[in-house]
Amino acid sequence: MLVGAGPGAADLLTMRAARALGEADLVLYDALVSREVLDLAPQAHRFLVGKRAGKPSMAQSTIHALMIRAARAGRTVVRLKCGDPFVLGRGGEEVLALEEAGVDVEVVPGLSSATAGPADSGIPVTHRGLAPGFLVLSAVPSDHYRRVLATLEPGSVTVVLMMSLGARAEIADFCVAHGWPSSLPASIVIDATLPSAWTWCGTLGELADVEIPERDGERGLVVLGPVVSLANENRRKEHEPWPMDRAR
């Protein structure tokens, strides 16, 4: 069973995901799944199989083999994936591998941080008159997002860039070089929905120079588009002042 762990907070899992974790006896989980979510599988053996940028990680083929072997042994297996299994998470590859091996598999969707992250910071990814749609891209590898952004009309849709914290300067430089206005609203969202949540809002021209807090992991994203200007108005949670607030 492929289960979406949601954006971070345990109470944002679906009821079906929580039930699956409670029934599992083996959980293979991603690196950024929170401890609170893992605690929902008290009787399961839990093994970290997630990938971390720039660090040694388990090969995808090995993950496939672990799932297949455990399922064939009669174990109740949950492959716990951050966000939604089918949003930049190789969930499709894992389903294909399981089906090819003759293993029945169920996919339990999860709330993707691509939408939940901005929302937690008061940023709607769509808004009448500002953004009729949104685009989700991975910043790794860079040639993928470059091909898309080079042909996109600046500000026409909201752009959400996942796995992008370390590439924010590169993203800003590329966009400006391709005619995007440096005044375009931009945001960085880290640890959305968690107590450690941190958000910066400013402009594309400022994005490269933002100092972000040191965290253990890459649970963050970049948002580009006019909807970022709505963040302060739409905030519904009491946070510490944002960097943009302190600078005023």
Side-chain angles (χ1 to χ4, degrees):
M1 183 178 294
L2 269 65
V3 175
D11 56 359
L12 288 176
L13 265 72
T14 65
M15 295 176 64
R16 185 178 297 182
R19 184 169 63 249
L21 286 170
E23 296 172 352
D25 53 36
L26 174 63
V27 176
L28 305 174
Y29 65 94
D30 279 352
L32 296 180
V33 172
S34 68
R35 175 56 54 185
E36 291 74 19
V37 171
L38 290 175
D39 287 344
L40 296 175
Q43 66 184 19
H45 295 283
R46 295 172 284 188
F47 294 97
L48 170 64
V49 298
K51 297 171 174 56
R52 300 288 292 275
K55 297 183 179 181
S57 59
M58 186 175 293
Q60 189 64 38
S61 59
T62 303
I63 297 174
H64 296 171
L66 285 173
M67 291 190 293
I68 292 167
R69 184 166 63 246
R72 286 175 172 170
R75 305 186 73 177
T76 302
V77 182
V78 165
R79 173 68 175 99
L80 188 61
K81 305 181 73 65
C82 293
D84 181 272
F86 283 173
V87 178
L88 300 176
R90 294 193 173 186
E93 297 175 36
E94 294 176 355
V95 167
L96 291 175
L98 290 165
E99 290 180 343
E100 185 177 348
V103 175
D104 291 334
V105 56
E106 177 185 352
V107 178
V108 180
L111 184 60
S112 173
S113 59
T115 54
D120 190 56
S121 297
I123 302 171
V125 291
T126 65
H127 188 84
R128 185 171 59 176
L130 288 181
F134 65 98
L135 177 65
V136 180
L137 297 169
S138 170
V140 181
S142 62
D143 59 321
H144 290 180
Y145 81 79
R146 286 169 177 262
R147 284 199 300 268
V148 176
L149 297 187
T151 61
L152 186 69
E153 179 183 351
S156 58
V157 297
T158 303
V159 177
V160 180
L161 288 144
M162 312 289 286
M163 295 173 278
S164 56
L165 297 185
R168 60 192 184 279
E170 175 187 305
I171 292 166
D173 291 345
F174 178 83
C175 288
V176 172
H178 284 76
W180 290 51
S182 59
S183 59
L184 184 75
S187 178
I188 299 171
V189 179
I190 298 176
D191 285 357
T193 77
L194 296 173
S196 54
W198 183 91
T199 301
W200 169 87
C201 291
T203 66
L204 180 62
E206 300 167 330
L207 183 63
D209 298 322
V210 178
E211 293 187 10
I212 63 175
E214 294 185 5
R215 298 285 164 83
D216 181 22
E218 286 289 319
R219 191 187 280 112
L221 51 85
V222 170
V223 186
L224 305 176
V227 292
V228 172
S229 63
L230 301 175
N232 279 335
E233 181 179 345
N234 288 340
R235 289 174 70 204
R236 301 187 184 281
K237 290 169 50 177
E238 292 297 327
H239 291 298
E240 290 296 317
W242 295 356
M244 65 175 293
D245 295 331
R246 291 196 293 265
R248 291 177 178 176

